[in-house]
Every structure is written in C-alpha cells, then in structure tokens.
Amino acid sequence: MFITAISKKLKITTRAIRHYEEIGIINSKRLENNYRYFDQVNVDKLKFLVRARKLGFSLEECKELILLFENDNRRSEHVREIAKNKLKSIKKQITDLKDLEKSLKWLVLKCPGDNKPDCPIIDELAKG
Amino acid sequence: MFITAISKKLKITTRAIRHYEEIGIINSKRLENNYRYFDQVNVDKLKFLVRARKLGFSLEECKELILLFENDNRRSEHVREIAKNKLKSIKKQITDLKDLEKSLKWLVLKCPGDNKPDCPIIDELAKG
DNA sequence: GTATACCCTTACGTTAAGGTCAATATGTTT
DNA sequence: AAACATATTGACCTTAACGTAAGGGTATAC
C-alpha cells in the first residue's frame, strides 16, 4: 500500500507516518521511484502503533512496545510493567487535574461575573 | 531584588523568570551592570503569574489575567469567562484521561505478568 | 589573585506532530 | 508531445514552556 491509502485507512496523516519512520519506529520499502511501499507487516505495525498512541503511550513507549510485539521471547511481565507505569502516570495526571478543577470551580462560583471590577479570582491570585 | 533571590522565594527557576520577561509577561529594571532588578510591583506580578500557572493557566492566559489584574476598569465577568473556559478544558482532559485509565486498568488486570510471551495487552494492540 | 557565587546573552533541545515548500513522479487529457 | 492534475519526496518552520549548555562579565571573600 502507498502512504496515502494507509493514512486514509488508519485515519492519520501522511506526515505522521513519515515522522514515525524518521524516528525509526516503523519502516517501509522503497519502490524504484522512491515511493514508500508498506507491506502487511508494516501496516500491522502501524496499526499497533496507532492503537498504542490512542491508549496514551508516548512514541518512545510505543517503540518499546513494538519491540516486545515483535519479540517472540518477550515476557508478559515486561509488557505489564510498561502498562502499569503508564497507568500510574495517568492516575497522577487525573489527581492533579481534579485538584485544579476543584480550585477553579470554587473561584468561578465565588465570582459575581458582572460589569464591576471586584473579582475574587483576581484577589485570590494576587493575595500576599 | 535580584533574579536568584526571587527565584528562591517563588520556587521557580531563573530561566523561567527570564523567559517570562522575554515574551513580555513581566518586566524588570536594569542596573548599571545590566543585572535585572525587580521592585515590589514586579515581584507581585510574578507572584500572581506563578499562582495562575499553578491553577493551570497557560502563559497566554496568564498574560491576559495580568492585564486584567492591572486594569482597574476590568469587569469581573471577563475574568470569570477565562476561568470558566479553563474549567471546561480541564473537565474534558479529566474525562479523556479517565477513559484511558479504564482501558489500561482492564488490560493490566488481564495480563498475567509472568515470564511467558503470551500477553493480552500485546494481543489487544495487535488485533485485526 | 583566585575561588565562588552571582549575573548576562545566545542558541539549540525537548514532545508529537502540523504546516508549508519546491522539486520530482505519475497519470490523464488534449 | 505538451499540458495539466494529482502524489510523493525531503526539508525546514512552528507550537509550549522552559532546560541546558557555552562562553563570558561582576562582586565579594579569603
């Protein structure tokens, strides 16, 4: 398959695909005219990558996962460890964002939102 | 105050402070030796900025908030609108992350995490 | 007179792509 | 064969908020 066909199939841009190749996550063959050609193996890898990205893994992490994907001697504990770490960081992000949400909610609630300058939000940010 | 003193006081790096100045959010005076000098007004602005950053506002948003902070003719509804928009985007981020968390949790649970290659996480990412 | 603790500017690196470009390549009309 | 439309290529620019390093000035203490 050519790059545009895959990009449509996987709903990602051609630019993204080239980027993944540039940083060595995936690869492709070249035809005589220098066009990229993706065989089934490469398409499957790309599919894997897209799915992993959707699960929140960074490209670095995806790279690692693909190596495991391709390694028949992998240990599932290794894969699980990566997923657990990601889960941990996602949990932290959620906690942090919830804290922000709480503070912001409270401030928005306290602010009259009228045409006068007195504003508890500004006051809170400015307080000594 | 000099830049290092403030950075220690506000627990941010000197690089961050210079950056804020570079992009025109804050400003400072210069002494004869070209050192930055921050008077009380500038320190207060920086404090405001640091607090706003902690609440998750981008530097662009902080810039806007500081303009309102300094504008005695502001309307509190303007400030409230900015905070409400931020709140909305934070809520969306939380929802998205929770979805990821759910998927990952399930995968981690299903994976045996032993020394064998069979891994439901890999299978899930690779599935047709 | 040198050690150290500051301070300065310039400028490239980071994440994960998206945008834009000119230069080729291919395919279809005329 | 020439004109035109569409694909593809690599390369460089941009984003956010700094981090990091290089290379050099200044101030105080010992």
Side-chain angles (χ1 to χ4, degrees):
Chain A
M1 296 179 82
F2 289 148
I3 195 164
T4 301
I6 298 185
S7 80
K8 278 174 184 160
K9 193 173 173 182
L10 302 185
K11 282 159 190 165
I12 55 176
T13 63
T14 57
R15 187 68 189 82
I17 298 174
R18 292 198 189 95
H19 180 63
Y20 300 150
E21 202 185 272
E22 274 169 27
I23 63 178
I25 297 191
I26 58 154
N27 47 301
S28 62
K29 288 159 188 162
R30 295 299 181 111
L31 302 180
E32 284 196 355
N33 58 15
N34 201 29
Y35 285 16
R36 286 172 178 83
Y37 181 80
F38 297 81
D39 60 19
Q40 197 54 47
V41 173
N42 287 325
V43 173
D44 287 346
K45 247 204 252 190
L46 241 177
K47 264 190 202 166
F48 185 98
L49 172 52
V50 169
R51 283 223 180 77
R53 288 286 296 136
K54 274 190 188 150
L55 273 175
F57 291 103
S58 72
L59 289 183
E60 251 333 290
E61 289 162 334
C62 289
K63 205 167 174 176
E64 220 180 330
L65 286 171
I66 287 178
L67 284 178
L68 289 169
F69 170 48
E70 293 177 310
N71 177 8
D72 292 337
N73 296 318
R74 67 172 167 264
R75 290 164 293 121
S76 72
E77 63 182 340
H78 191 168
V79 183
R80 191 165 183 266
E81 204 52 40
I82 296 175
K84 268 180 70 180
N85 283 339
K86 196 74 210 170
L87 189 54
K88 197 175 163 188
S89 94
I90 287 176
K91 276 180 175 165
K92 185 176 178 350
Q93 285 181 61
I94 292 175
T95 310
D96 290 350
L97 283 172
K98 275 186 173 168
D99 286 348
L100 291 185
E101 190 194 15
K102 201 174 156 189
S103 306
L104 271 177
K105 245 181 186 162
W106 192 76
L107 285 175
V108 167
L109 215 92
K110 272 188 56 178
C111 178
D114 56 22
N115 60 0
K116 282 178 286 184
D118 308 284
C119 176
I121 299 174
I122 293 285
D123 291 348
E124 173 68 22
L125 290 172
K127 84 175 176 191
Chain B
M1 293 179 83
F2 290 143
I3 195 165
T4 299
I6 298 185
S7 78
K8 279 174 185 162
K9 194 173 174 182
L10 302 185
K11 284 160 191 166
I12 55 176
T13 62
T14 56
R15 181 66 187 89
I17 297 174
R18 292 199 187 96
H19 180 64
Y20 300 150
E21 201 185 272
E22 272 170 30
I23 62 178
I25 297 191
I26 58 154
N27 48 303
S28 62
K29 287 161 189 161
R30 294 297 179 117
L31 301 181
E32 285 195 354
N33 57 14
N34 202 28
Y35 285 15
R36 287 172 178 82
Y37 182 81
F38 297 82
D39 61 19
Q40 196 54 46
V41 172
N42 287 323
V43 172
D44 287 346
K45 249 204 252 189
L46 241 178
K47 265 190 202 168
F48 185 98
L49 172 52
V50 170
R51 283 225 179 76
R53 289 286 295 138
K54 277 191 186 150
L55 272 176
F57 291 103
S58 72
L59 287 182
E60 251 332 291
E61 289 163 333
C62 287
K63 205 167 172 175
E64 221 182 326
L65 286 171
I66 286 177
L67 284 177
L68 290 168
F69 169 49
E70 292 177 313
N71 177 6
D72 292 337
N73 297 318
R74 65 171 169 264
R75 290 162 295 122
S76 73
E77 62 183 341
H78 191 168
V79 182
R80 190 166 182 268
E81 204 52 40
I82 297 175
K84 267 179 69 181
N85 283 339
K86 195 74 212 169
L87 189 54
K88 198 175 161 188
S89 90
I90 286 175
K91 275 180 177 164
K92 184 174 176 353
Q93 285 182 60
I94 291 175
T95 311
D96 291 350
L97 283 173
K98 275 186 176 169
D99 286 347
L100 290 185
E101 190 195 13
K102 201 175 154 188
S103 307
L104 270 178
K105 245 183 189 163
W106 192 76
L107 286 176
V108 167
L109 216 90
K110 272 188 52 179
C111 178
D114 55 24
N115 59 0
K116 283 179 285 184
D118 308 283
C119 178
I121 300 174
I122 293 286
D123 292 347
E124 172 67 22
L125 291 170
K127 83 177 174 190

